[in-house]
Amino acid sequence: YINLNHSDVNECSEGTDNCDKMTTICENTKGGYICQCKKGFERVEGSNTEDGSKDQLSCSSKLNETS
C-alpha cells in the first residue's frame, strides 16, 4: 500500500502480506503485492489469480499429480 507520505510500503519485507509462506513467494509491487507459486508448485484451479489482490493464492505441489 502507499502510506500518507506517498511512499510505497513493502508488505513482503514487513510480513504484512497474505501469501502462504510454505507454497508462495511474495513480490512487492507499487501500491501492493503479488503472491506467486514457488518453484515446484502450481496454482490450484479456482483460487485467486496472481493479480495483486490480497486474497490468498492457493498452490499445490506438482509432485501430487498423477499421469
Side-chain angles (χ1 to χ4, degrees):
Y1 70 93
I2 299 179
N3 64 23
L4 295 177
N5 294 326
H6 303 286
S7 59
D8 182 50
V9 175
N10 186 331
E11 294 88 354
C12 301
S13 66
E14 290 189 357
T16 57
D17 62 271
N18 195 28
C19 298
D20 178 358
K21 307 299 185 244
M22 296 294 290
T23 61
T24 64
I25 297 171
C26 182
E27 179 182 321
N28 189 56
T29 61
K30 185 172 182 170
Y33 63 90
I34 299 171
C35 301
Q36 296 186 15
C37 294
K38 289 182 177 181
K39 185 176 182 178
F41 292 86
E42 62 186 3
R43 185 175 66 87
V44 173
E45 192 65 35
S47 76
N48 172 39
T49 57
E50 299 168 1
D51 64 358
S53 70
K54 306 266 188 291
D55 295 331
Q56 188 158 337
L57 173 69
S58 295
C59 300
S60 66
S61 173
K62 289 183 179 182
L63 299 176
N64 291 336
E65 294 180 358
T66 57
S67 317

